[in-house]
Amino acid sequence: MGTYTLEERASLRALNNLVPLMVIVLVMMLLILVAVLPPAIVLAYFAARRTTRRIKTLAEATASVRAGSYETRVQVQGEDEVASLQSDFNAMAEALQDTMAELSAERDAVTQLLASRRELMASISHELRTPVAIINGHLESLQSRGEVISSEALNHDTDIMLGETQRLQHMLDDLFTLARAEVGQLDLNRQPVDIGAVVENVVRAIAPIYWQKQRVEVVVDVQQDLPAVMVDRVRLEQVLHNLIRNGVRHTPPGGIVALSVCDGDGQLMIQVKDTGQGIAPEDLPHIWERFYRAESARQQDIRGSGLGLTLVKDLVEAMEGTVSVESQIGQGSRFTIQLPVV
Ligand code: ADP
């Protein structure tokens, strides 16, 4: 062993004193590593697993939406980036579901419209074919009888043909008005009108005809000093004609069709009441539908097209009014129109 200077010996002593300290520090660092590292690794493992699981759920939800299950949603967990991805996914799925629901409702409406168009065309051609076939049949029979036709037979045939021509005319007028109403081109000319006077005039003009034809009396009772109502006079007359014609058609000889006009709760009320056969409860909800004719009307061969009441409803509603019906089999029917006062 060599000899050391005094300074060297002092340094060696200081170094010797440091060794245990460094050993202590090293041991403590080792202890800290052993205590902290395993839990950190475990925590990191679980965090990664949770994130992977949430992303996998999102991927499955996306596939389910793509397959058409628009109601699919994921549970938002936590507040990290994956959680905001989850809530964005839910918002997107919600918007997609709403849009798909709207599209499907529109598609159903178009399908229904096309079906009702087809039905309407079929009904129109059927309804038009009947009077045309009757007129044709009578003309052919007249032609085949040559010159030996009694005036009585001729009158009979021409009466039938005239009746069928008028029926066709009514039907075409009603169809034309309904078609215009449907495309919003009814062109109502609404002005303040004295409804009482209009109803009285209509009744005065047609009562003698119905009495002569069917022995049904058409009467009217109008309350005095009624306020004016904004209506299209011509359309209102069309409504009244349809209701009175129906009343007379379904009332046996000796019966009455009574019209009344009165004021009621800020509305003007027109009623058309008959003492006829009435309408069966099962028919009541349908009588406003196009071409609907009650079974009893068909069985009794009461002529009609099934368009009259559809038109009444469309016209009254176009004038911002309402129309309703009450009826009892064997007692009669009462149609009530309510129109807002000016
Ligand atoms: P129609 O041209 O067949 O009379 P409407 O639409 O005017 O067509 O009426 C539909 C159906 O409602 C009629 O076929 C009839 O069965 C019934 N109806 C309408 N008004 C009356 C009434 N006043 N009394 C009894 N039944 C009626």
Side-chain angles (χ1 to χ4, degrees), residues 288-321:
W288 311 101
E289 294 165 13
R290 265 189 188 77
F291 294 112
Y292 186 84
R293 304 196 59 228
E295 194 49 43
S296 58
R298 291 178 193 280
Q299 275 174 6
Q300 293 170 58
D301 205 19
I302 297 175
R303 310 311 300 266
S305 64
L307 290 173
L309 288 179
T310 314
L311 193 67
V312 165
K313 192 165 188 292
D314 279 8
L315 288 177
V316 170
E317 285 175 0
M319 293 188 271
E320 287 167 41

Side-chain angles (χ1 to χ4, degrees), residues 97-110:
Q97 190 181 15
D98 289 351
T99 311
M100 292 311 286
E102 277 168 31
L103 280 176
S104 127
E106 263 172 49
R107 189 197 51 204
D108 289 353
V110 170

Side-chain angles (χ1 to χ4, degrees), residues 4 8-9 18 25 31 35 95 97 110 114 142 146 168 200 207 210 285 288 297 316 320 326:
Y4 296 100
E8 282 171 338
R9 263 192 232 136
L18 266 178
V25 168
L31 278 175
Q97 190 181 15
V110 170
L114 286 175
L142 278 176
L168 267 178
E200 275 175 337
Y210 284 133
W288 311 101
V316 170
E320 287 167 41
E326 293 153 88

Side-chain angles (χ1 to χ4, degrees), residues 110-124 178-179 182-183 290:
V110 170
T111 314
Q112 213 176 346
L113 192 72
L114 286 175
S116 72
R117 290 273 129 196
R118 273 198 295 275
E119 218 174 280
L120 186 65
M121 290 307 291
S123 306
I124 291 175
L178 280 172
E182 208 163 69
V183 291
R290 265 189 188 77

Side-chain angles (χ1 to χ4, degrees), residues 167 174 242-251 272-274 276-280 283 286-298 302-312 325 327 332-335:
R167 196 159 101 84
D174 286 356
N242 280 3
L243 290 180
I244 298 170
R245 192 171 61 229
N246 274 351
V248 172
R249 262 204 291 230
H250 297 279
T251 300
V272 182
K273 189 168 174 276
D274 64 61
Q277 64 191 58
I279 304 169
D283 289 322
H286 303 291
I287 57 172
W288 311 101
E289 294 165 13
R290 265 189 188 77
F291 294 112
Y292 186 84
R293 304 196 59 228
E295 194 49 43
S296 58
R298 291 178 193 280
I302 297 175
R303 310 311 300 266
S305 64
L307 290 173
L309 288 179
T310 314
L311 193 67
V312 165
V325 61
S327 188
S333 311
R334 180 167 59 194
F335 287 82

Side-chain angles (χ1 to χ4, degrees), residues 8 18 28 42 58 66 83 108 161 180 191 227 243 254 284:
E8 282 171 338
L18 266 178
M28 276 180 68
V42 170
L58 263 175
R66 200 181 54 195
D108 289 353
M161 287 191 285
R180 290 187 78 89
Q191 284 174 349
L243 290 180
L284 272 180

